[in-house]
Every structure is written in C-alpha cells, then in structure tokens.
Amino acid sequence: MNQRERREYLINKLLAEQPQYRELEMPVEAGEQKRLLRSLMNVRRPQPVSSDITSVQDEYLQTETCAKGITEFSDMTPVEEGIYLWKGDITTLRCDAIVNAANSGLTGCYYPCHGCIDNAIHTYAGMQLRLECARLIERQGHEEPVGSAKITSAYNLPCNCIIHTVGPIVGERVTSEDERLLESCYRSCLELAETHGIKSIAFCCISTGEFHFPNERAAEIAVKTVRDYMKRENSQINVIFNVFKEIDYDIYRKLLTGRG
C-alpha cells in the first residue's frame, strides 16, 4: 500500500467501527482525508485494535513522521551542562522519553484535530496508546492526580517512551498551590525517568495554553525545578526543554542563557 491507500483503508475501517459516522463520505483531497482520519482516531474510545488495522496504522504513522523529519537528540548542543533548548514538534524527536501534558483521564484529547500537545502525541503514537492509558487508569482505580507522572510505551513515535503528567489548571490567578503542583510535575517526571534508566527526557511547556498557566512563570518553575533536581541528586539525565512557540523559545533562552 502507498500512503493514500493506507489512509483510505484506515478511514473505512474506523467509519465501519463507529456507526454514527458511517454516512460520512471519503474526501478526495489528501489534506481533508488526513483531517478526517485524525478526527476519527481522536474520537475513538479506548478499545482493542485488530492486528490488521494496527499494522496498516503503524506503517502509515511512521511514514508520516519520517516525512515531517525526525530530530535526533544526539545532534543537539546543550545550553548548559545537561540542559538543552529545542523549538520543534515533540512528536518528531528521537530521545529516550518525551513528556505529555495530559488530562486526569490520561486517555488523550477527544476533540477532533485539537491543537493541544496531548492530541498530537496520542494521534501520532497511534490508537494503542489510548488503550494502554485507559488500562493504567482502570488498574489504579482513580484518575491521575495533578503533579504525578506515569510512563507508557511510545508506539509509533520516534522516542522510546512517553511520560504523562497532569498539570494544574489555573483559575483567575496563579496560586502558591498551582506553583507547587507544577513543580511536582517536573520533579515526578524526573524521578520516574531515573527509575526507568532514562538518559534523555524532553519536557513540553506543562500547564500553559489550555491550562492557563502564564508562560513566563511556568518556565521559571520548570528551569528552577530541573536545575535543583540535577544538583541535589547529582543526576546525569539530559533534559530538553521543548517549545513550539517563539514566545516560549525567547523566555527559555533568556532564563537559560541570560540573553534576551
């Protein structure tokens, strides 16, 4: 199969699987097909995926990611010992672990083609990730607490695993509890990474965006927590601060280098 054939195969399978969408017609344009496939994956509830669908999906997603271009952590230059700053799509980064800014259910964003990192990670990892996360929550018997972290496979992403953490949602103003919980997110991810022998971990901008934590204050907490942890634990882990927006790149660059 080529990419178009894989995409149309997956769309037809997912339409047949979800009766409420069976009347939708197959778009002609590749861009519209991609949007429909992503939407169907986003709204699909956690459930097993047949091996024939999985094999086609895996080939499709890995080919799509390769086409976007994979960034190798090994090619990066640190801004200080053990700490890196990189602007790009975290789903294309090859390192030991990437961090997902998850919701308390851990099963991803169900809003079709939403722009949050949770949606992107679940989309390009594949449908297996949502099922693994759902089973994890089922085993522990409750939603994931804010400030903690869990680890899963990465499936079709170029990284080796995903660490999921739930950040605080800010109300009218940032409280000291919000700050404590955000600090806990970074520390919990680092502790979990060390436990699993992870040597490189990429952090997204946890709790900013949809969770309304101010970008600059969130970055200050992130950098301080990582530096304090590495010094206190004499940790040799490599930390990548991954940003997607220019505003966040400028904030982190100033914090890490002192240059505006």
Side-chain angles (χ1 to χ4, degrees), residues 1-4 6-7 34 55-70 92 124 156-158:
M1 289 185 182
N2 59 33
Q3 279 299 83
R4 186 180 188 91
R6 294 184 187 112
R7 187 166 55 244
K34 289 181 180 183
S55 62
V56 175
Q57 177 213 242
D58 293 353
E59 288 184 39
Y60 177 79
L61 291 175
Q62 290 171 29
T63 301
E64 287 292 294
T65 297
C66 285
K68 289 189 289 185
I70 293 174
T92 64
Y124 290 102
N156 293 293
L157 297 178

Side-chain angles (χ1 to χ4, degrees), residues 113-210:
C113 298
H114 192 251
C116 68
I117 193 167
D118 197 16
N119 187 295
I121 286 174
H122 273 268
T123 296
Y124 290 102
M127 292 179 282
Q128 304 97 311
L129 178 58
R130 178 164 282 173
L131 181 59
E132 181 181 353
C133 289
R135 286 173 171 169
L136 190 157
I137 291 295
E138 184 179 6
R139 286 196 302 272
Q140 74 178 16
H142 56 80
E143 292 190 330
E144 186 68 6
V146 177
S148 60
K150 290 291 187 298
I151 190 167
T152 66
S153 298
Y155 298 99
N156 293 293
L157 297 178
C159 59
N160 295 330
C161 59
I162 305 167
I163 294 179
H164 307 259
T165 189
V166 183
I169 299 175
V170 174
E172 293 183 0
R173 63 181 181 84
V174 178
T175 66
S176 58
E177 180 66 0
D178 292 330
E179 294 181 337
R180 184 191 71 79
L181 288 169
L182 184 58
E183 179 183 335
S184 179
C185 287
Y186 284 92
R187 190 172 56 252
S188 296
C189 289
L190 290 167
E191 291 170 350
L192 186 59
E194 298 270 23
T195 299
H196 287 267
I198 288 167
K199 302 301 182 184
S200 57
I201 180 172
F203 282 103
C204 61
C205 301
I206 303 166
S207 272
T208 59
E210 295 295 315

Side-chain angles (χ1 to χ4, degrees), residues 49-84:
V49 189
S50 66
S51 59
D52 59 332
I53 294 177
T54 298
S55 62
V56 175
Q57 177 213 242
D58 293 353
E59 288 184 39
Y60 177 79
L61 291 175
Q62 290 171 29
T63 301
E64 287 292 294
T65 297
C66 285
K68 289 189 289 185
I70 293 174
T71 297
E72 304 284 347
F73 161 68
S74 58
D75 292 336
M76 293 182 179
T77 302
V79 291
E80 64 180 69
E81 187 176 359
I83 296 182
Y84 300 72

